[in-house]
Amino acid sequence: MTERLSAAQLDRAASLLRDGALVAFPTETVYGLGGDATNDRAVAAIFAAKGRPNFNPLIVHVAELAAAEPLATFDDRARDLVRRFWPGPLTLVLKRSTACSISRLASAGLETLALRAPAHPQAQALLRAVRRPLAAPSANRSGHVSPTTSDHVVDELDGRIAAVLDGGPCRVGIESTVVDLSQPHAVLLRPGGVPREQLESVLGLVAGATDADASRSPGMFERHYAPARPLRLNATTVAPDEALLAFGPPLPGAGATVNLSSAHNLTEAAANLFAALRTLDQPRFTAIAVMPIPETGLGAAINDRLRRAARGRAN
Ligand code: TXA
Ligand code: MG
Protein backbone atom coordinates (compact mmCIF):
# COMPACT_ATOMS: atom_id res chain seq x y z
CA MET A 1 0.00 0.00 0.00
CA THR A 2 1.05 3.56 -0.70
CA GLU A 3 1.80 5.63 2.43
CA ARG A 4 -0.09 8.91 2.74
CA LEU A 5 2.14 11.63 4.17
CA SER A 6 1.02 14.98 5.59
CA ALA A 7 3.02 18.20 5.22
CA ALA A 8 4.50 17.51 8.67
CA GLN A 9 6.03 14.27 7.29
CA LEU A 10 8.01 15.95 4.53
CA ASP A 11 11.29 14.61 5.93
CA ARG A 12 10.00 11.05 5.49
CA ALA A 13 9.17 11.85 1.85
CA ALA A 14 12.68 13.26 1.36
CA SER A 15 14.43 10.23 2.85
CA LEU A 16 12.36 7.81 0.74
CA LEU A 17 13.38 9.77 -2.37
CA ARG A 18 17.04 9.81 -1.38
CA ASP A 19 16.82 6.01 -1.02
CA GLY A 20 15.57 5.69 -4.60
CA ALA A 21 11.86 5.12 -3.79
CA LEU A 22 9.01 6.85 -5.65
CA VAL A 23 6.99 9.57 -3.91
CA ALA A 24 4.20 11.60 -5.50
CA PHE A 25 4.18 15.26 -4.45
CA PRO A 26 2.03 18.34 -5.03
CA THR A 27 3.00 21.07 -7.47
CA GLU A 28 0.93 24.13 -8.36
CA THR A 29 -0.03 22.49 -11.68
CA VAL A 30 -0.75 18.79 -10.99
CA TYR A 31 0.73 16.12 -8.69
CA GLY A 32 4.09 14.76 -9.88
CA LEU A 33 5.33 11.17 -9.59
CA GLY A 34 8.78 11.89 -8.17
CA GLY A 35 12.00 9.93 -8.20
CA ASP A 36 15.71 10.83 -7.90
CA ALA A 37 16.57 12.04 -11.43
CA THR A 38 20.23 11.05 -11.00
CA ASN A 39 19.34 7.42 -10.16
CA ASP A 40 18.76 5.17 -13.20
CA ARG A 41 16.78 2.63 -11.18
CA ALA A 42 14.44 5.24 -9.70
CA VAL A 43 13.85 6.73 -13.15
CA ALA A 44 13.18 3.29 -14.66
CA ALA A 45 10.72 2.64 -11.82
CA ILE A 46 8.80 5.82 -12.72
CA PHE A 47 8.22 4.54 -16.27
CA ALA A 48 7.10 1.17 -14.88
CA ALA A 49 4.71 2.63 -12.25
CA LYS A 50 3.00 4.82 -14.87
CA GLY A 51 3.05 2.24 -17.65
CA ARG A 52 4.69 4.99 -19.70
CA PRO A 53 6.54 4.10 -22.93
CA ASN A 54 10.24 4.68 -22.28
CA PHE A 55 10.68 6.80 -25.41
CA ASN A 56 8.64 9.58 -23.76
CA PRO A 57 11.03 11.77 -21.68
CA LEU A 58 10.31 13.10 -18.16
CA ILE A 59 10.40 16.63 -16.73
CA VAL A 60 13.18 17.20 -14.18
CA HIS A 61 12.28 19.45 -11.24
CA VAL A 62 14.69 21.75 -9.39
CA ALA A 63 14.17 24.35 -6.64
CA GLU A 64 15.78 27.22 -8.56
CA LEU A 65 18.00 28.32 -11.44
CA ALA A 66 21.22 27.63 -9.50
CA ALA A 67 20.31 23.94 -9.31
CA ALA A 68 19.39 23.82 -13.03
CA GLU A 69 22.42 25.64 -14.48
CA PRO A 70 24.91 22.74 -14.21
CA LEU A 71 22.46 20.42 -16.02
CA ALA A 72 21.79 22.26 -19.29
CA THR A 73 22.80 25.19 -21.50
CA PHE A 74 20.95 28.38 -20.52
CA ASP A 75 21.05 31.15 -23.13
CA ASP A 76 19.68 34.71 -22.73
CA ARG A 77 16.16 33.64 -23.76
CA ALA A 78 16.14 30.89 -21.13
CA ARG A 79 17.42 33.27 -18.43
CA ASP A 80 14.80 35.89 -19.32
CA LEU A 81 12.03 33.28 -19.04
CA VAL A 82 13.39 31.96 -15.75
CA ARG A 83 13.55 35.47 -14.30
CA ARG A 84 9.92 36.08 -15.23
CA PHE A 85 8.25 32.70 -14.63
CA TRP A 86 10.28 30.56 -12.17
CA PRO A 87 9.27 29.21 -9.82
CA GLY A 88 6.08 28.52 -11.77
CA PRO A 89 4.28 26.50 -14.44
CA LEU A 90 6.90 26.79 -17.21
CA THR A 91 9.10 23.91 -18.44
CA LEU A 92 12.16 24.68 -20.59
CA VAL A 93 13.61 22.13 -23.01
CA LEU A 94 17.34 22.84 -23.27
CA LYS A 95 20.49 21.07 -24.47
CA ARG A 96 21.95 18.76 -21.84
CA SER A 97 25.31 19.93 -20.56
CA THR A 98 28.28 17.59 -21.06
CA ALA A 99 28.61 17.13 -17.27
CA CYS A 100 24.85 16.59 -16.82
CA SER A 101 24.21 14.26 -13.86
CA ILE A 102 20.65 13.38 -14.89
CA SER A 103 19.89 9.79 -15.88
CA ARG A 104 19.87 9.37 -19.67
CA LEU A 105 16.64 7.44 -19.26
CA ALA A 106 14.87 10.60 -18.04
CA SER A 107 15.72 12.25 -21.38
CA ALA A 108 14.69 9.09 -23.24
CA GLY A 109 18.02 9.18 -25.07
CA LEU A 110 17.51 12.73 -26.40
CA GLU A 111 20.31 15.36 -26.22
CA THR A 112 17.85 17.69 -24.46
CA LEU A 113 16.44 17.99 -20.95
CA ALA A 114 13.08 19.38 -19.78
CA LEU A 115 13.54 21.49 -16.61
CA ARG A 116 11.07 23.19 -14.32
CA ALA A 117 11.09 24.86 -10.88
CA PRO A 118 7.65 24.34 -9.32
CA ALA A 119 6.16 27.12 -7.14
CA HIS A 120 4.19 24.95 -4.68
CA PRO A 121 5.70 25.52 -1.20
CA GLN A 122 5.79 21.78 -0.43
CA ALA A 123 7.47 20.98 -3.76
CA GLN A 124 10.04 23.69 -2.99
CA ALA A 125 10.61 22.36 0.55
CA LEU A 126 10.91 18.78 -0.73
CA LEU A 127 13.45 19.67 -3.46
CA ARG A 128 15.56 21.56 -0.90
CA ALA A 129 15.37 18.67 1.58
CA VAL A 130 16.31 16.00 -1.02
CA ARG A 131 19.04 18.21 -2.51
CA ARG A 132 18.82 16.34 -5.81
CA PRO A 133 16.79 17.06 -8.96
CA LEU A 134 13.55 15.05 -9.11
CA ALA A 135 12.20 13.51 -12.29
CA ALA A 136 8.43 13.83 -12.07
CA PRO A 137 5.85 13.24 -14.75
CA SER A 138 2.20 13.75 -13.81
CA ALA A 139 1.24 11.11 -11.20
CA ASN A 140 -1.31 9.22 -13.29
CA ARG A 141 -1.25 5.98 -15.29
CA SER A 142 -0.08 6.68 -18.84
CA GLY A 143 -2.91 8.05 -20.98
CA HIS A 144 -5.14 8.97 -18.05
CA VAL A 145 -6.21 12.38 -16.73
CA SER A 146 -3.60 14.15 -14.53
CA PRO A 147 -4.24 14.16 -10.74
CA THR A 148 -4.99 17.42 -8.93
CA THR A 149 -5.54 15.93 -5.43
CA SER A 150 -3.73 13.24 -3.41
CA ASP A 151 -6.92 11.11 -3.60
CA HIS A 152 -6.62 11.11 -7.41
CA VAL A 153 -3.01 9.93 -7.05
CA VAL A 154 -4.05 7.04 -4.80
CA ASP A 155 -6.86 6.11 -7.25
CA GLU A 156 -4.26 5.91 -10.04
CA LEU A 157 -1.16 4.49 -8.34
CA ASP A 158 -2.02 2.82 -5.00
CA GLY A 159 0.51 0.05 -4.32
CA ARG A 160 2.74 1.10 -7.23
CA ILE A 161 4.60 3.93 -5.40
CA ALA A 162 5.99 4.19 -1.85
CA ALA A 163 4.13 7.33 -0.76
CA VAL A 164 2.16 10.43 -1.66
CA LEU A 165 2.76 13.76 0.05
CA ASP A 166 -0.55 15.58 0.52
CA GLY A 167 -0.63 19.28 -0.37
CA GLY A 168 -4.34 19.80 -1.00
CA PRO A 169 -5.84 20.58 -4.42
CA CYS A 170 -3.50 22.07 -7.05
CA ARG A 171 -3.94 25.82 -7.57
CA VAL A 172 -3.33 25.99 -11.37
CA GLY A 173 -4.84 22.59 -12.18
CA ILE A 174 -3.36 22.18 -15.67
CA GLU A 175 0.17 21.06 -16.55
CA SER A 176 3.07 23.40 -17.21
CA THR A 177 3.69 25.13 -20.52
CA VAL A 178 6.55 23.33 -22.33
CA VAL A 179 8.76 25.49 -24.57
CA ASP A 180 11.67 24.14 -26.59
CA LEU A 181 14.70 26.44 -26.58
CA SER A 182 17.19 23.83 -27.77
CA GLN A 183 17.14 25.33 -31.26
CA PRO A 184 17.31 28.88 -32.70
CA HIS A 185 13.52 29.35 -32.86
CA ALA A 186 11.49 28.76 -29.70
CA VAL A 187 8.69 26.23 -30.15
CA LEU A 188 5.65 25.90 -27.89
CA LEU A 189 5.47 22.12 -27.41
CA ARG A 190 2.60 22.10 -24.93
CA PRO A 191 0.24 24.95 -23.97
CA GLY A 192 -0.14 25.07 -20.18
CA GLY A 193 -0.18 27.17 -17.03
CA VAL A 194 1.78 30.09 -18.53
CA PRO A 195 -0.43 31.40 -21.38
CA ARG A 196 1.16 31.92 -24.82
CA GLU A 197 0.43 35.66 -24.59
CA GLN A 198 2.69 35.93 -21.50
CA LEU A 199 5.40 33.78 -23.08
CA GLU A 200 5.37 35.99 -26.18
CA SER A 201 5.68 39.14 -24.07
CA VAL A 202 9.21 37.86 -23.28
CA LEU A 203 10.18 35.89 -26.42
CA GLY A 204 8.26 37.63 -29.21
CA LEU A 205 6.22 35.38 -31.51
CA VAL A 206 6.55 31.69 -30.65
CA ALA A 207 5.81 28.96 -33.17
CA GLY A 208 3.40 26.19 -32.28
CA ALA A 209 4.49 22.54 -32.44
CA THR A 210 4.22 20.79 -35.80
CA ASP A 211 4.42 17.12 -36.77
CA ALA A 212 8.16 17.68 -37.32
CA ASP A 213 8.51 18.34 -33.57
CA ALA A 214 6.94 14.98 -32.67
CA SER A 215 10.23 13.12 -32.89
CA ARG A 216 11.76 15.51 -30.33
CA SER A 217 8.76 15.46 -27.97
CA PRO A 218 7.08 12.12 -28.31
CA GLY A 219 4.48 12.87 -25.63
CA MET A 220 3.00 15.77 -27.55
CA PHE A 221 0.97 14.00 -30.16
CA GLU A 222 -0.22 10.98 -28.26
CA ARG A 223 -3.83 10.59 -27.39
CA HIS A 224 -3.74 11.69 -23.81
CA TYR A 225 -5.59 12.94 -20.76
CA ALA A 226 -8.61 10.84 -21.66
CA PRO A 227 -11.56 9.75 -19.54
CA ALA A 228 -13.22 6.43 -20.49
CA ARG A 229 -16.42 8.16 -21.72
CA PRO A 230 -16.29 9.88 -25.15
CA LEU A 231 -16.18 13.69 -25.12
CA ARG A 232 -18.41 15.83 -27.35
CA LEU A 233 -16.86 19.30 -27.73
CA ASN A 234 -18.53 22.68 -28.37
CA ALA A 235 -21.94 21.33 -27.33
CA THR A 236 -24.88 23.70 -27.77
CA THR A 237 -27.48 21.16 -26.60
CA VAL A 238 -27.24 18.21 -24.19
CA ALA A 239 -29.22 14.94 -23.82
CA PRO A 240 -30.48 13.39 -20.53
CA ASP A 241 -28.13 10.40 -20.92
CA GLU A 242 -25.11 12.73 -21.19
CA ALA A 243 -23.07 14.47 -18.50
CA LEU A 244 -22.39 18.18 -19.02
CA LEU A 245 -19.11 20.01 -18.49
CA ALA A 246 -20.41 23.58 -18.34
CA PHE A 247 -18.68 26.94 -18.70
CA GLY A 248 -20.87 29.92 -17.82
CA PRO A 249 -24.65 29.48 -17.46
CA PRO A 250 -25.21 25.71 -18.04
CA LEU A 251 -27.30 24.22 -20.86
CA PRO A 252 -30.50 22.62 -19.54
CA GLY A 253 -31.38 18.90 -19.63
CA ALA A 254 -28.12 17.04 -18.78
CA GLY A 255 -28.05 13.87 -16.64
CA ALA A 256 -25.49 15.59 -14.40
CA THR A 257 -23.60 18.87 -14.59
CA VAL A 258 -20.27 20.16 -13.30
CA ASN A 259 -19.59 23.82 -13.96
CA LEU A 260 -15.95 24.71 -14.63
CA SER A 261 -16.76 28.34 -13.86
CA SER A 262 -20.23 29.89 -13.74
CA ALA A 263 -18.54 33.32 -13.91
CA HIS A 264 -16.66 32.52 -17.19
CA ASN A 265 -13.33 32.67 -15.34
CA LEU A 266 -10.63 30.69 -17.18
CA THR A 267 -8.28 30.49 -14.16
CA GLU A 268 -11.05 28.89 -12.11
CA ALA A 269 -11.96 26.62 -15.06
CA ALA A 270 -8.37 25.32 -15.40
CA ALA A 271 -8.20 24.59 -11.66
CA ASN A 272 -11.44 22.56 -11.86
CA LEU A 273 -10.90 20.79 -15.21
CA PHE A 274 -9.34 17.43 -14.31
CA ALA A 275 -11.39 16.83 -11.14
CA ALA A 276 -14.54 17.62 -13.16
CA LEU A 277 -13.62 15.10 -15.87
CA ARG A 278 -13.09 12.42 -13.19
CA THR A 279 -16.44 13.25 -11.54
CA LEU A 280 -18.39 13.05 -14.80
CA ASP A 281 -16.67 9.92 -16.14
CA GLN A 282 -19.40 7.48 -15.01
CA PRO A 283 -20.72 4.39 -16.84
CA ARG A 284 -24.33 5.65 -16.64
CA PHE A 285 -23.54 8.37 -19.18
CA THR A 286 -23.11 7.79 -22.92
CA ALA A 287 -20.84 10.84 -23.30
CA ILE A 288 -19.54 14.01 -21.68
CA ALA A 289 -20.81 17.09 -23.53
CA VAL A 290 -18.51 20.11 -23.21
CA MET A 291 -19.67 23.70 -23.68
CA PRO A 292 -17.47 26.01 -25.81
CA ILE A 293 -14.47 27.58 -24.06
CA PRO A 294 -12.66 30.63 -25.49
CA GLU A 295 -9.18 30.04 -26.96
CA THR A 296 -7.54 32.98 -25.12
CA GLY A 297 -5.21 32.85 -22.08
CA LEU A 298 -5.54 29.58 -20.16
CA GLY A 299 -8.41 28.65 -22.52
CA ALA A 300 -5.82 27.45 -25.07
CA ALA A 301 -4.41 24.89 -22.60
CA ILE A 302 -7.90 23.83 -21.47
CA ASN A 303 -9.01 23.30 -25.10
CA ASP A 304 -5.77 21.43 -25.90
CA ARG A 305 -6.49 18.92 -23.09
CA LEU A 306 -10.15 18.62 -24.10
CA ARG A 307 -9.26 18.00 -27.76
CA ARG A 308 -6.82 15.26 -26.74
CA ALA A 309 -9.40 13.75 -24.40
CA ALA A 310 -11.96 13.77 -27.24
CA ARG A 311 -9.61 11.67 -29.36
CA GLY A 312 -10.04 8.86 -26.82
CA ARG A 313 -7.89 6.69 -24.63
CA ALA A 314 -4.63 5.27 -25.95
CA ASN A 315 -4.83 1.98 -24.08
O1 TXA B 1 3.04 20.56 -14.81
C1 TXA B 1 3.76 19.66 -15.22
O2 TXA B 1 4.55 19.82 -16.17
C2 TXA B 1 3.68 18.32 -14.49
C3 TXA B 1 4.15 18.54 -13.06
C4 TXA B 1 4.22 17.27 -12.27
O3 TXA B 1 5.39 19.19 -13.07
N1 TXA B 1 4.46 17.32 -15.17
C5 TXA B 1 4.08 16.78 -16.37
O4 TXA B 1 4.93 15.80 -16.84
O5 TXA B 1 3.07 17.10 -16.96
P1 TXA B 1 4.58 14.78 -18.02
O6 TXA B 1 5.71 13.83 -18.04
O7 TXA B 1 3.24 14.21 -17.79
O8 TXA B 1 4.65 15.63 -19.31
C6 TXA B 1 5.91 16.07 -19.78
C7 TXA B 1 5.85 16.43 -21.23
C8 TXA B 1 5.68 15.19 -22.08
O9 TXA B 1 4.72 15.45 -23.08
C9 TXA B 1 7.07 14.97 -22.67
O10 TXA B 1 7.03 14.39 -23.97
C10 TXA B 1 7.64 16.39 -22.69
O11 TXA B 1 7.09 17.05 -21.58
N2 TXA B 1 9.10 16.36 -22.58
C11 TXA B 1 9.84 15.93 -21.52
N3 TXA B 1 11.16 15.99 -21.81
C12 TXA B 1 11.27 16.47 -23.06
C13 TXA B 1 12.37 16.76 -23.92
N4 TXA B 1 13.63 16.56 -23.55
N5 TXA B 1 12.10 17.23 -25.14
C14 TXA B 1 10.83 17.46 -25.52
N6 TXA B 1 9.74 17.20 -24.76
C15 TXA B 1 9.95 16.72 -23.54
MG1 MG C 1 1.26 13.56 -18.05
Side-chain angles (χ1 to χ4, degrees):
M1 245 189 42
T2 295
E3 264 183 76
R4 300 187 73 133
L5 303 176
S6 70
Q9 294 170 291
L10 193 124
D11 286 349
R12 164 95 184 129
S15 77
L16 284 166
L17 286 163
R18 271 197 302 269
D19 289 344
L22 304 186
V23 178
F25 62 93
T27 82
E28 73 282 20
T29 59
V30 302
Y31 276 72
L33 167 44
D36 178 351
T38 65
N39 177 334
D40 284 331
R41 279 175 192 234
V43 173
I46 292 175
F47 284 100
K50 272 186 72 96
R52 178 168 179 139
N54 60 10
F55 55 78
N56 191 0
L58 310 179
I59 295 177
V60 172
H61 295 66
V62 291
E64 58 188 342
L65 178 63
E69 275 179 317
L71 307 176
T73 308
F74 282 76
D75 60 16
D76 289 344
R77 299 172 303 173
R79 283 175 204 285
D80 287 347
L81 288 174
V82 163
R83 218 170 288 130
R84 172 82 190 272
F85 298 113
W86 278 16
L90 179 67
T91 297
L92 302 180
V93 173
L94 302 171
K95 289 209 176 83
R96 286 174 67 107
S97 62
T98 39
C100 183
S101 58
I102 302 299
S103 165
R104 288 247 162 220
L105 280 177
S107 298
L110 300 171
E111 291 308 317
T112 54
L113 192 60
L115 285 164
R116 151 165 141 79
H120 194 292
Q122 275 172 251
Q124 279 285 324
L126 187 65
L127 286 160
R128 288 172 200 275
V130 176
R131 279 188 274 112
R132 278 176 219 162
L134 294 176
S138 52
N140 51 275
R141 302 291 288 271
S142 185
H144 290 201
V145 175
S146 291
T148 53
T149 68
S150 60
D151 283 347
H152 296 163
V153 175
V154 172
D155 288 347
E156 292 277 330
L157 296 169
D158 193 20
R160 303 176 78 93
I161 59 176
V164 54
L165 179 63
D166 183 26
C170 301
R171 174 172 58 82
V172 177
I174 206 154
E175 300 88 346
S176 62
T177 299
V178 182
V179 58
D180 185 356
L181 295 179
S182 68
Q183 49 187 329
H185 300 290
V187 177
L188 177 62
L189 293 176
R190 178 175 74 180
V194 172
R196 174 192 278 268
E197 295 87 335
Q198 287 185 29
L199 205 60
E200 292 188 336
S201 73
V202 176
L203 289 179
L205 279 185
V206 175
T210 64
D211 286 345
D213 298 303
S215 60
R216 285 181 293 111
S217 194
M220 298 293 125
F221 297 92
E222 261 183 308
R223 294 175 174 191
H224 219 191
Y225 310 106
R229 242 50 53 198
L231 251 68
R232 191 164 68 73
L233 302 184
N234 295 314
T236 49
T237 60
V238 60
D241 62 351
E242 289 180 316
L244 178 69
L245 190 62
F247 182 71
L251 296 167
T257 297
V258 173
N259 205 330
L260 290 176
S261 171
S262 49
H264 279 116
N265 180 319
L266 289 167
T267 304
E268 182 184 26
N272 291 331
L273 178 66
F274 292 142
L277 285 174
R278 281 174 194 271
T279 302
L280 295 177
D281 193 15
Q282 296 173 28
R284 65 189 169 105
F285 301 123
T286 55
I288 301 172
V290 184
M291 290 175 65
I293 292 167
E295 199 53 43
T296 51
L298 286 176
I302 295 172
N303 284 322
D304 170 77
R305 304 309 186 269
L306 288 169
R307 279 191 292 268
R308 287 167 195 263
R311 277 186 247 147
R313 221 169 232 195
N315 47 17

Short mmCIF file of all heavy atoms in Angstrom, two decimals, residues 23 75 84 90 104 125 136 179 223 234 278:
data_model
loop_
_atom_site.label_atom_id
_atom_site.label_comp_id
_atom_site.label_asym_id
_atom_site.label_seq_id
_atom_site.Cartn_x
_atom_site.Cartn_y
_atom_site.Cartn_z
N VAL A 23 7.93 8.82 -4.76
CA VAL A 23 6.99 9.57 -3.91
C VAL A 23 6.28 10.61 -4.78
O VAL A 23 6.94 11.44 -5.40
CB VAL A 23 7.73 10.29 -2.76
CG1 VAL A 23 6.75 11.10 -1.92
CG2 VAL A 23 8.48 9.28 -1.88
N ASP A 75 20.69 29.95 -22.38
CA ASP A 75 21.05 31.15 -23.13
C ASP A 75 20.25 32.33 -22.57
O ASP A 75 19.53 32.19 -21.58
CB ASP A 75 20.85 30.95 -24.64
CG ASP A 75 19.40 30.61 -24.99
OD1 ASP A 75 18.51 30.83 -24.13
OD2 ASP A 75 19.16 30.14 -26.12
N ARG A 84 11.32 35.67 -15.25
CA ARG A 84 9.92 36.08 -15.23
C ARG A 84 9.00 35.00 -14.64
O ARG A 84 8.05 35.30 -13.92
CB ARG A 84 9.50 36.42 -16.67
CG ARG A 84 8.05 36.69 -16.91
CD ARG A 84 7.66 38.14 -16.55
NE ARG A 84 6.20 38.27 -16.59
CZ ARG A 84 5.52 38.59 -17.67
NH1 ARG A 84 6.14 38.85 -18.79
NH2 ARG A 84 4.20 38.66 -17.62
N LEU A 90 6.21 26.72 -15.91
CA LEU A 90 6.90 26.79 -17.21
C LEU A 90 8.04 25.79 -17.23
O LEU A 90 8.92 25.81 -16.37
CB LEU A 90 7.48 28.19 -17.45
CG LEU A 90 8.22 28.32 -18.78
CD1 LEU A 90 7.27 28.19 -19.97
CD2 LEU A 90 8.99 29.63 -18.85
N ARG A 104 20.19 9.29 -18.24
CA ARG A 104 19.87 9.37 -19.67
C ARG A 104 18.45 8.87 -19.95
O ARG A 104 17.81 9.26 -20.92
CB ARG A 104 20.86 8.54 -20.48
CG ARG A 104 22.21 9.17 -20.54
CD ARG A 104 22.50 9.59 -21.99
NE ARG A 104 23.57 10.54 -22.05
CZ ARG A 104 23.57 11.60 -22.88
NH1 ARG A 104 22.56 11.82 -23.68
NH2 ARG A 104 24.57 12.43 -22.89
N ALA A 125 10.00 22.87 -0.68
CA ALA A 125 10.61 22.36 0.55
C ALA A 125 11.19 20.96 0.31
O ALA A 125 12.28 20.63 0.80
CB ALA A 125 9.57 22.34 1.67
N ALA A 136 9.82 13.97 -12.49
CA ALA A 136 8.43 13.83 -12.07
C ALA A 136 7.47 14.12 -13.21
O ALA A 136 7.19 15.28 -13.51
CB ALA A 136 8.12 14.73 -10.88
N VAL A 179 8.20 24.76 -23.44
CA VAL A 179 8.76 25.49 -24.57
C VAL A 179 10.16 24.97 -24.87
O VAL A 179 10.97 24.77 -23.97
CB VAL A 179 8.70 27.02 -24.35
CG1 VAL A 179 9.44 27.43 -23.11
CG2 VAL A 179 9.22 27.77 -25.54
N ARG A 223 -2.54 10.40 -28.04
CA ARG A 223 -3.83 10.59 -27.39
C ARG A 223 -3.52 10.59 -25.90
O ARG A 223 -2.67 9.88 -25.43
CB ARG A 223 -4.74 9.41 -27.70
CG ARG A 223 -5.08 9.38 -29.15
CD ARG A 223 -5.86 8.14 -29.44
NE ARG A 223 -6.30 8.18 -30.81
CZ ARG A 223 -7.19 7.34 -31.29
NH1 ARG A 223 -7.71 6.41 -30.51
NH2 ARG A 223 -7.55 7.44 -32.54
N ASN A 234 -17.74 21.56 -27.86
CA ASN A 234 -18.53 22.68 -28.37
C ASN A 234 -20.02 22.38 -28.41
O ASN A 234 -20.72 22.72 -29.37
CB ASN A 234 -18.03 23.08 -29.77
CG ASN A 234 -16.61 23.61 -29.69
OD1 ASN A 234 -16.30 24.43 -28.83
ND2 ASN A 234 -15.75 23.11 -30.55
N ARG A 278 -12.99 13.65 -14.00
CA ARG A 278 -13.09 12.42 -13.19
C ARG A 278 -14.49 12.24 -12.63
O ARG A 278 -15.02 11.14 -12.64
CB ARG A 278 -12.09 12.47 -12.03
CG ARG A 278 -10.68 12.15 -12.44
CD ARG A 278 -9.71 12.34 -11.28
NE ARG A 278 -8.36 12.33 -11.79
CZ ARG A 278 -7.62 11.23 -11.93
NH1 ARG A 278 -8.07 10.07 -11.52
NH2 ARG A 278 -6.42 11.31 -12.46
#
